[in-house]
Amino acid sequence: MAGAAWLQPIFKPHPIFPAFCRRPTFPAILHRFSSFSSAGQLVFTTNRFTPVHAQAKRGFSLKEDEVASAADVEFETPLKIVEYPDPILRAKNKRIDSFDDNLKKLVDEMFDIMYKTDGIGLSAPQVGLNVQLMVFNPVGERGQGEEIVLVNPRVSRYSQKTRLFNEGCLSFPGIYADVQRPESVKIDARDINGARFTVNLSGLPARVFQHEFDHLQGILFFDRMTEGVLESISDQLQALEKKYEDITGLPSPERIESSKRMKLKAAAGFGKS
Ligand SMILES: [Zn+2]
């Protein structure tokens, strides 16, 4: 981070809440931080987290992370949003270890398409690149709020307290539904220059982060919906599956009906990454 400016509370009521999530129904507040340590790590003031017990069922462990090659971060502009059920959204995402101009250009392009599509968060697999990178700006307007870039993020703690929130996703155009998630998270990540940092998020930033972090684990927001909520959007999901089949001429790589069966066996948990 160039500084800790984005850590200040950045939320203002916004008349047109963008597509990632609808207007928050709770006050979105970032924790205040007391200082940057000499190591560049953020030092927190008040945090109350409980240990995580459940391991994410679909998470990838650190040991398995492959490092991205230059080819893995090659892209063409303008970027295009990958929609469900494209298998890119379920593929494994590689760790980034090259913090070069190409990465900075990619981040710029990701913010560009995020704003153009009225999003407030975007992960690399959503633009066809299977690498561990996300960008977000909870205000969703260029020049407002703060642009946040997280490379190779990990979650070290989830709060026990959870909240229900109406989410959308740029890879699921027009679909909005309630998802329960922890209210706060503690994150370790690298910034655009490769510097490691630790941060606590709560409120809307924590919500956006967790949604995008799931993308980096190949988890999609409907994986976390209750059966009833999933049922309410199943027609829309099936319409996207049909659209994919019409465009590609291939059978949909997954179907909501089978997802529902999987959910009965094992819901995606929240755990350390
Ligand atoms: Zn999404």
Side-chain angles (χ1 to χ4, degrees), residues 90-108:
R90 296 297 197 181
K92 193 170 171 185
N93 295 296
K94 294 181 183 174
R95 189 160 50 83
I96 291 171
D97 76 346
S98 182
F99 297 84
D100 55 11
D101 287 347
N102 182 68
L103 188 68
K104 291 179 175 68
K105 175 83 165 73
L106 172 59
V107 163
D108 284 348

Side-chain angles (χ1 to χ4, degrees), residues 20-33:
F20 159 79
C21 312
R22 289 186 183 152
R23 180 183 292 279
T25 52
F26 56 93
I29 299 162
L30 277 169
H31 284 263
R32 284 180 178 276
F33 302 94

